[in-house]
Amino acid sequence: MALQINATNPEHPALLLALPWDTPLEEWPEEYLVPLPRGISRHVVRYARAGDEVIAVKELAERPAVREYGLLRDLDRLGIPAVDPLAVVTGRTGRSGGPLEPVLVTRHLRGSMPYRSMFETTMRPATMHRLMDALAVLLVRLHLAGFAWGDCSLSNTLFRRDAGAYAAYLVDAETGELHPRLSPGQREYDLDLARVNISGELLDLEASGALHPAVDPVGFGHEICTRYQGLWQELTRTSVYPAGEYHYIERRIRRLNDLGFDVAEMQIEHSPGGDTVTFVPKVVDAGHHQRQLLRLTGLDTEENQARRLLNDLESWMATQDDHAPGDPLAARPEVLAHRWVRDVFRPTVRAVPPDLRGSVDPAEIYHQLLEHRWYLSEQAQHDIGLDTAVADYVRNVLPRARETLEPPAPA
Ligand SMILES: Nc1ncnc2c1ncn2[C@@H]1O[C@H](COP(=O)(O)OP(=O)(O)O)[C@@H](O)[C@H]1O
Ligand SMILES: [Mg+2]
């Protein structure tokens, strides 16, 4: 049987041809290998160099290799964070003439860490909560796409830190199944597997002394379920709003924030029946919003202010015609952010008379206006709009705030 390389990209076969396919993966000479940390696996997995790229090579039987390759391509098409499949190599023959196992080749996920390496330095419980959140986001996204993982675990996930955000990527799709949609029973089953796997993996770490003493392995297993369910509910429940009713959308974003998740992307689709909103959640590190807002707008604020301002910016962006994530012709976020500062942020702050503003900085004023609008809209049960909020704030709130700030008149 002749060596056969089936690849997504026509450039890859030539690069891959240079690798020692007539040698079992376990015996590949050092010169081909890249020494990066690997997670626990059933199959032999090695990292190798192919041209400028680092690839992950996994030896397994032909059928599962082809199947996993296909599933990883599906996940790529669905926009799910997972490793990129590059090729399946079959028809390998050893030097003594005997057949060798086929391999699945994926692109090494740059900057990623298997969880075991992340735990080599004791991880603070707060960081662990963030990792669980990232995994919950991944599982929810997979389930929304109709993918039942079948073996969700820490070993089958890669974690990446990216500008203060945490992201989880699927690395092992072997047990996965793609359906048009999943039933509640299928999701529950998948989630239960995740819970059992994660508790087990954390118990292992505990036994080897690599776990923070405050971390309860079984508790963390349950936590993934709670996080998943909260997120699922918040993302999937009734999602058609009366057109332009920004308030309901904000209420949902705030609930996501309260659950500890952030909105990475939001899209509003207008239809005669109302607005349908979809969110993509993400998990972020402390100080992330502050840095993000500073980068986009030049506004330097506290973390909480930054989060509210970014929510406002993100919602406003979703209403702009040239906002289309993923479309190369769409306006860049920096450009839209600049427009928001010019057309929304500055005029709003300017609507507050300077003598009432006092020494409070513009970002704080804007933040207070957003909070005031939120407060009044909750009372009114609909969005009262920023202009009304500003007017009410100037008339009723600021004068009283000044009274309490100013020193009493001398007697
Ligand atoms: N594309 C990749 N990028 C980074 N690491 C990878 C990649 N593919 C595999 N790995 C590493 O190899 C380990 C085992 O891979 P996996 O597909 O789970 O094998 P198995 O099917 O034997 O469980 C993973 O936990 C991960 O650490
Ligand atoms: Mg695995």
Side-chain angles (χ1 to χ4, degrees), residues 139-215:
L139 196 56
V140 164
R141 289 184 71 175
L142 286 167
H143 285 179
L144 285 173
F147 186 89
W149 195 339
D151 197 13
C152 171
S153 67
L154 293 171
S155 306
N156 288 335
T157 308
L158 290 168
F159 293 98
R160 182 141 84 164
R161 280 191 71 158
D162 177 17
Y166 283 98
Y169 290 73
L170 175 144
V171 63
D172 189 344
E174 204 186 331
T175 48
E177 273 176 27
L178 193 59
H179 301 274
R181 63 185 313 141
L182 298 183
S183 69
Q186 281 171 313
R187 292 194 298 109
E188 256 164 56
Y189 178 72
D190 215 27
L191 186 58
D192 203 50
L193 286 172
R195 180 182 62 77
V196 173
N197 280 340
I198 291 164
S199 298
E201 289 170 312
L202 293 179
L203 281 165
D204 259 9
L205 283 171
E206 190 180 56
S208 66
L211 210 57
H212 192 283
V215 169

Side-chain angles (χ1 to χ4, degrees), residues 89-109:
V89 180
T90 51
R92 293 173 65 201
T93 316
R95 263 173 256 158
S96 53
L100 293 178
E101 271 209 310
V103 306
L104 168 68
V105 181
T106 55
R107 180 178 284 123
H108 177 261
L109 184 67

Side-chain angles (χ1 to χ4, degrees), residues 37-45 47 56 58 68 83-84 106-109 112 114 155-158 171-174:
R38 281 190 313 266
I40 299 165
S41 63
R42 274 190 305 129
H43 303 99
V44 179
V45 177
Y47 305 126
K58 163 158 112 173
E68 188 169 4
V83 295
D84 286 336
T106 55
R107 180 178 284 123
H108 177 261
L109 184 67
S112 69
S155 306
N156 288 335
T157 308
L158 290 168
V171 63
D172 189 344
E174 204 186 331

